Amino acid sequence: MGRIARVFPRRTRATPDDELAFTDPPGLFPPPVDEVHISVAFTWDLPRAEWLADQWASVAPVKIGGPALGTRGEGFEPGMYVRPGYTITSRGCPNRCWFCSVWHRDGDIRELAIKPGYDILDDNLLACSEEHIRAVFAMLREQPCMKRQLTGGLEAARLKAWHVEELWRTKPRQMFFAYDTPDDLEPLQRAGRMMLDAGWTRRAKRLRCYVLVGFPKDTTEDATARLRQTLDAGFVPMAMLWRSAKGDVAPDWKRFQRGWARPAIIGAQNQQRGQRHGTQTEAKTEPTLPRDKR
């Protein structure tokens, strides 16, 4: 395959940081490479991606791809387009959510070969077969204890008792569910009861939930109500700001989202809310995780 420079329009926590990963033009002394891949995750980064493609065109043949262009994901190569430690074990989703591009791009769920990693990025892991899910959890238990997490998002409506048992055995540092539409609330409440009954606590803040806010006709009052419902269900919410294809976001929604994105801030807000309503926050704590000696 030769040496491939991977170029990204912006740097995120998941962006690779090896010697062949870039976020800028090649400069005066470009690296000796055989190809240049421009990887674009967000549609609003396409103008910069096209500019970067022009800048790198004199170095080696350039290819542009990624989720923003609707490129269908195939296999997964660790460290190639996301930082080592992140892994993807399946592509696609059987749901057809109006706001989501995953099913347009990747179609129904497809299971991939499981590559080691401590952060699972699958779009809908629980839609996979039982054999695959159990194998993913077995792999995750081999990773450093305090790094294990599932940030791709778990669909509460698909959560089963054996999923909860596997999660309890795996002890992720955090796991994210999702509350995107009104239909998600009842399954989320049910999932919260299942997880809390299994032994997790609200105070430990391991149970997280993405909550979509700022979409057309949404209001801050309605969004606040959904975020409060998420807290009441047992999850620490993380507001996910809806963006148009151009990436447009109203300033008021940016400020709102920042107030619902950090667990420490949310915890303080929830404690103040409990004091105002004369309730007490949960004092119970989870069992201490064993020190990982791997």
Side-chain angles (χ1 to χ4, degrees):
M1 185 168 58
R3 284 168 58 87
I4 299 176
R6 292 101 66 227
V7 182
F8 305 86
R10 69 172 67 224
R11 186 169 298 282
T12 70
R13 191 174 298 178
T15 305
D17 59 357
D18 59 85
E19 63 177 6
L20 290 180
F22 305 89
T23 56
D24 294 307
L28 295 176
F29 304 100
V33 295
D34 301 300
E35 288 184 8
V36 177
H37 292 184
I38 312 290
S39 179
V40 198
F42 307 109
T43 54
W44 48 89
D45 284 334
L46 285 172
R48 177 168 172 80
E50 293 168 355
W51 177 78
L52 286 168
D54 290 338
Q55 302 302 307
W56 282 86
S58 61
V59 176
V62 174
K63 297 179 180 178
I64 303 181
L69 284 88
T71 305
R72 185 178 188 267
E74 299 300 337
F76 174 74
E77 184 176 347
M80 188 65 174
Y81 301 111
V82 292
R83 187 187 296 263
Y86 292 87
T87 189
I88 298 172
T89 77
S90 65
R91 304 277 193 187
C93 180
N95 301 331
R96 297 294 183 265
C97 300
W98 67 267
F99 53 85
C100 184
S101 63
V102 170
W103 60 276
H104 288 288
R105 182 178 66 247
D106 285 316
D108 209 340
I109 198 79
R110 289 177 287 121
E111 297 174 358
L112 308 178
I114 299 173
K115 305 293 179 66
Y118 51 75
D119 191 337
I120 311 299
L121 301 180
D122 297 32
D123 290 302
N124 197 336
L125 176 64
L126 298 188
C128 294
S129 67
E130 179 173 346
E131 180 182 11
H132 182 86
I133 296 172
R134 289 190 185 276
V136 170
F137 284 126
M139 179 277 293
L140 196 56
R141 286 193 288 272
E142 295 176 357
Q143 308 306 308
C145 185
M146 291 308 297
K147 288 188 175 182
R148 302 171 194 162
Q149 52 187 334
L150 297 101
T151 60
L154 301 172
E155 186 181 355
R158 295 180 185 272
L159 188 70
K160 299 178 181 178
W162 67 266
H163 294 145
V164 178
E165 292 172 2
E166 287 285 345
L167 285 164
W168 182 253
R169 289 180 60 203
T170 305
K171 293 291 193 295
R173 180 169 65 86
Q174 60 180 350
M175 64 207 92
F176 283 81
F177 287 75
Y179 181 6
D180 297 319
T181 68
D183 291 344
D184 292 332
L185 177 57
E186 187 174 343
L188 185 70
Q189 293 169 331
R190 170 182 164 274
R193 291 192 296 270
M194 292 173 69
M195 301 296 279
L196 294 172
D197 287 347
W200 277 281
T201 68
R202 301 169 190 266
R203 184 168 179 169
K205 298 182 175 64
R206 296 180 187 272
L207 303 179
R208 304 293 309 280
C209 183
Y210 298 120
V211 181
L212 187 65
V213 303
F215 48 83
K217 298 185 179 181
D218 194 16
T219 67
T220 56
E221 290 79 10
D222 289 343
T224 299
R226 296 195 301 276
L227 290 156
R228 293 295 186 195
Q229 289 169 339
T230 302
L231 277 167
D232 292 342
F235 300 87
V236 178
M238 180 173 180
M240 297 296 290
L241 197 52
W242 180 88
R243 292 175 180 263
S244 69
K246 294 181 179 180
D248 297 333
V249 175
D252 289 349
W253 276 113
K254 282 187 177 181
R255 287 192 292 271
F256 179 87
Q257 189 269 342
R258 283 196 295 269
W260 286 96
R262 296 183 60 186
I265 296 175
I266 296 169
Q269 290 177 345
N270 196 40
Q271 187 173 26
Q272 292 173 358
R273 180 188 178 217
Q275 292 171 349
R276 287 196 304 270
H277 290 274
T279 59
Q280 295 181 344
T281 56
E282 184 174 357
K284 181 182 175 183
T285 59
E286 286 190 46
T288 302
L289 295 178
R291 183 181 299 276
D292 194 285
K293 298 181 180 180
R294 297 185 182 85

